[in-house]
């Protein structure tokens, strides 16, 4: 690569979306600098599910084979009724085997994905990491952009670049600096995640790798994830009830009480980690403003039921890398970036936002008749092969990508 420093793309945020974007640009011969405020990659225990569409992209980028043996293939997922303890509907990605390359979701924690990508890129001056560097300013002219940041010594520095991509998460500084509105709302309740080494297969409730258990009082999502040093982990996610304080929810007493309510057992649960999260449904008004571009949580945030947030962000990154390649390497028109915004906003609004809100509604439905109707509907969907396939095309984000592709 022969580009000068000012011809690099600046990526703000070394999370899953920033690193996938860096890899995709690097593979297209575009040098990048990634700014990350933390001293290294972050051990973020949020996402763990990669949908089959995302696995295909990661395979196209040549990185999936690096970790295929380290994660867990999850062909099945289940909707259940926590009140009766019974499964209501089970979906099998295997029914899509003749139309997709990877007929399963893949369980691999997001921090491992980030580290796998950084290792895959290896040591090259074309991907520069600026850790402990917090971006505080972004300026642009028609010809260039400039990123200002506080460096590891607390000094203010700046770097010129061709484009700045905000991959700096839902509270994006870059989005705010560009004056782009983050439209939508924040749910009143927060979600708590509690991970345990207790093996929920021992509960003998017929759980599979990914389980979504509806309950008007306290729904639960339950996932099996690879964990560390060969020790498998089960993650649970619950809504926080009105009146519960953060301190209580995350206290040993609060955590144990929640798991014991879910599956009463003798002795305490061994806790691996826990976290409390605000929950949003928001989409940026635009994903581009001149030379400033948004991707991942910086451009959209959704409740995590269904595991769509990071996946959608990776889809943004792949789409955007293709457009920057066309503009920077093939002299195509920068109007492509308006199309990026239109395409990915549609995938978000009609796909991820709608789907994640429908998932939440199914988990928490309170009115008995409406709850029974929703559970009957999902049961019927799973039992009918064509509806089953159609549902999986939606939940694994095939339809969202197709809808985005059709946007000019
Ligand atoms: C409980 C839970 C479970 C989830 N499970 C799933 C799942 O299974 N599948 C799924 O698809 N999604 C899931 N998500 C959502 C997923 O975690 C996010 O969508 C994903 O982390 C977004 O990635 P990102 O790279 O856009 O942003 P982030 O992961 O938030 O990374 C942003 C990075 O930018 C850095 N940064 C921020 N500001 C600055 C600055 N000014 N200068 C420099 N660096 C900065 C941060 O330190 C951070 O490293 C889940 C979320 C929750 C809460």
């Amino acid at each position: 690569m022969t580009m000068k420093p000012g011809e690099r793309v600046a990526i703000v945020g070394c999370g899953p979306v920033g690193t996938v974007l860096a890899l995709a640009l690097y593979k297209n011969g575009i040098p990048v600098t990634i700014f990350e405020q933390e001293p290294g990659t972050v051990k973020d225990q949020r996402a763990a599910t990669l949908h089959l569409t995302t696995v295909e992209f990661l395979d196209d980028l040549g990185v999936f084979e690096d970790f295929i043996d380290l994660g867990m293939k999850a062909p099945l997922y289940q909707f259940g009724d926590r009140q009766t303890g019974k499964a209501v509907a089970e979906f099998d990605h295997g029914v899509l085997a003749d139309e997709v390359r990877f007929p399963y979701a893949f369980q691999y924690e997001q921090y491992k994905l980030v580290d796998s990508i950084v290792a895959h890129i290896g040591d090259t001056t074309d991907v520069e990491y600026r850790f402990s560097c917090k971006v505080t300013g972004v300026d642009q002219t028609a010809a260039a952009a400039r990123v200002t940041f506080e460096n590891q010594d607390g000094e203010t520095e700046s770097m010129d670049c061709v484009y700045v991509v905000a991959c700096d998460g839902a509270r994006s500084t870059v989005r705010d600096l560009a004056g782009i509105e983050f439209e939508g709302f924040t749910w009143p309740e927060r979600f708590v995640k509690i991970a345990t080494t207790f093996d929920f297969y021992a509960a003998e409730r017929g759980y599979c790798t990914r389980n979504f258990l509806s309950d008007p009082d306290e729904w639960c999502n339950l996932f099996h994830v690879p964990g560390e040093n060969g020790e498998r982990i089960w993650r649970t996610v619950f809504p926080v009830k009105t009146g519960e304080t953060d301190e209580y929810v995350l206290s040993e007493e609060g955590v144990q009480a929640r798991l014991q309510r879910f599956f009463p057992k003798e002795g305490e649960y061994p806790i691996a980690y826990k976290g409390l999260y605000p929950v949003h449904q928001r989409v940026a008004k635009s994903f581009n403003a001149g030379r400033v571009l948004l991707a991942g949580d910086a451009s959209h945030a959704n409740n995590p039921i269904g595991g769509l947030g990071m996946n959608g962000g990776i889809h943004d990154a792949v789409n955007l890398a293709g457009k920057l390649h066309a503009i920077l390497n093939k002299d195509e028109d920068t109007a492509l970036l308006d199309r990026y915004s239109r395409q990915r906003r549609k995938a978000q609004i009609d796909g991820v936002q709608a789907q994640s809100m429908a998932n939440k509604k199914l988990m928490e439905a309170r009115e008995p008749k409406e709850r029974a109707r929703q559970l009957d509907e999902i049961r019927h969907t799973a039992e009918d092969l064509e509806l089953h396939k159609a549902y999986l095309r939606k939940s694994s984000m095939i339809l969202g990508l197709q809808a985005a592709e059709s946007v000019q």
Side-chain angles (χ1 to χ4, degrees):
M1 291 175 211
T2 52
M3 287 179 178
K4 300 183 201 85
E7 293 170 331
R8 299 177 87 94
V9 170
I11 297 174
V12 185
C14 193
V17 176
T19 44
V20 169
L21 179 64
L23 174 62
L25 291 174
Y26 171 60
K27 295 243 163 176
N28 279 305
I30 299 168
V32 304
T33 297
I34 307 182
F35 294 93
E36 169 56 54
Q37 64 188 1
E38 298 298 330
T41 56
V42 181
K43 190 164 183 181
D44 191 327
Q45 293 281 17
R46 281 181 292 165
T49 300
L50 296 168
H51 288 298
L52 58 86
T53 39
T54 307
V55 173
E56 287 195 13
F57 284 137
L58 295 171
D59 188 57
D60 291 342
L61 289 169
V63 70
F64 182 51
E65 64 179 24
D66 292 11
F67 59 84
I68 187 167
D69 294 330
L70 304 176
M72 299 161 74
K73 292 177 185 169
L76 302 181
Y77 78 100
Q78 240 181 49
F79 285 98
D81 183 345
R82 183 176 165 183
Q83 298 223 309
T84 63
K86 296 214 170 78
V88 173
E90 186 165 87
F91 289 86
D92 182 355
H93 291 77
V95 300
L96 299 182
D98 56 357
E99 53 187 278
V100 299
R101 301 213 302 269
F102 304 98
Y104 47 79
F106 193 76
Q107 300 292 91
Y108 192 56
E109 294 92 335
Q110 75 176 66
Y111 73 89
K112 294 183 186 169
L113 175 65
V114 169
D115 288 342
S116 292
I117 293 171
V118 170
H120 184 88
I121 292 171
D123 202 7
T124 163
T125 51
D126 293 323
V127 179
E128 180 191 32
Y129 300 91
R130 298 294 309 262
F131 288 114
S132 298
C133 288
K134 184 183 168 88
V135 170
T136 54
V138 172
D139 299 290
Q140 58 174 315
T141 62
R146 174 170 292 175
V147 173
T148 304
F149 55 99
E150 197 174 291
N151 71 16
Q152 60 281 10
D153 301 318
E155 294 156 354
T156 301
E157 262 190 67
S158 58
M159 188 192 96
D160 291 341
C161 52
V162 270
Y163 287 98
V164 184
V165 189
C167 299
D168 52 347
R171 285 183 291 174
S172 171
T173 302
V174 177
R175 183 190 64 231
D176 289 348
L177 288 166
I180 300 175
E181 210 178 315
F182 205 26
E183 297 177 327
F185 65 93
T186 299
W187 295 98
E189 75 269 37
R190 286 147 300 140
F191 290 1
V192 58
K193 175 198 62 202
I194 308 169
T196 175
T197 49
F198 173 75
D199 184 4
F200 277 102
Y201 287 136
E204 295 187 348
R205 286 179 170 178
Y207 294 135
C208 63
T209 318
R210 299 171 61 227
N211 309 274
F212 298 86
L213 306 162
S214 131
D215 187 339
D217 293 331
E218 187 185 51
W219 53 262
C220 174
N221 290 174
L222 175 70
F223 311 100
H224 210 194
V225 300
E228 279 176 67
N229 308 319
E231 190 171 45
R232 297 285 197 227
I233 300 277
W234 284 88
R235 284 183 178 186
T236 57
V237 179
F238 302 93
V240 169
K241 292 167 183 283
T242 320
E244 286 186 305
T245 63
D246 292 5
E247 292 68 30
Y248 174 74
V249 172
L250 291 176
S251 69
E252 188 59 20
E253 185 194 349
V255 162
Q256 293 294 337
R258 221 169 206 105
L259 291 183
Q260 289 289 353
R261 255 195 329 263
F262 175 65
F263 178 69
K265 74 171 193 71
E266 270 185 30
E268 300 217 316
Y269 276 90
I271 305 302
Y273 48 86
K274 54 199 171 182
L276 192 57
Y277 303 96
V279 192
H280 314 281
Q281 302 288 165
R282 293 183 185 274
V283 180
K285 195 163 188 164
S286 169
F287 288 15
N288 67 323
R291 292 179 177 272
V292 179
L293 306 158
L294 310 185
D297 277 18
S299 51
H300 44 75
N302 57 278
N303 83 70
I305 307 171
L308 303 169
M310 175 187 69
N311 282 275
I314 292 174
H315 296 186
D316 298 339
V318 171
N319 183 316
L320 181 58
K323 300 218 169 20
L324 287 175
H325 169 56
I327 292 166
L328 295 172
N329 293 338
K330 299 183 181 170
D331 256 348
E332 288 192 27
D333 199 293
T334 56
L336 275 179
L337 298 173
D338 298 330
R339 185 171 180 226
Y340 162 71
S341 179
R342 287 193 297 273
Q343 287 184 315
R344 296 309 306 157
R345 270 176 53 79
K346 180 166 180 66
Q348 264 305 311
I349 294 167
D350 297 352
V352 171
Q353 297 293 324
Q355 174 82 25
S356 60
M357 284 197 274
N359 290 343
K360 185 170 184 292
K361 214 165 137 196
L362 176 62
M363 288 298 98
E364 69 191 10
R366 288 200 170 85
E367 201 280 311
K369 270 197 188 146
E370 173 57 15
R371 180 163 192 267
R373 189 198 64 75
Q374 289 198 38
L375 291 176
D376 275 350
E377 187 176 294
I378 198 82
R379 183 184 295 114
H380 174 63
T381 302
E383 283 167 359
D384 179 297
L385 181 59
E386 286 315 309
L387 293 177
H388 189 122
K389 285 185 180 179
Y391 189 86
L392 284 170
R393 287 186 199 108
K394 189 166 62 170
S395 65
S396 57
M397 308 171 83
I398 295 171
L399 295 187
L401 284 167
Q402 286 173 349
E405 200 44 49
S406 70
V407 173
Q408 288 313 308

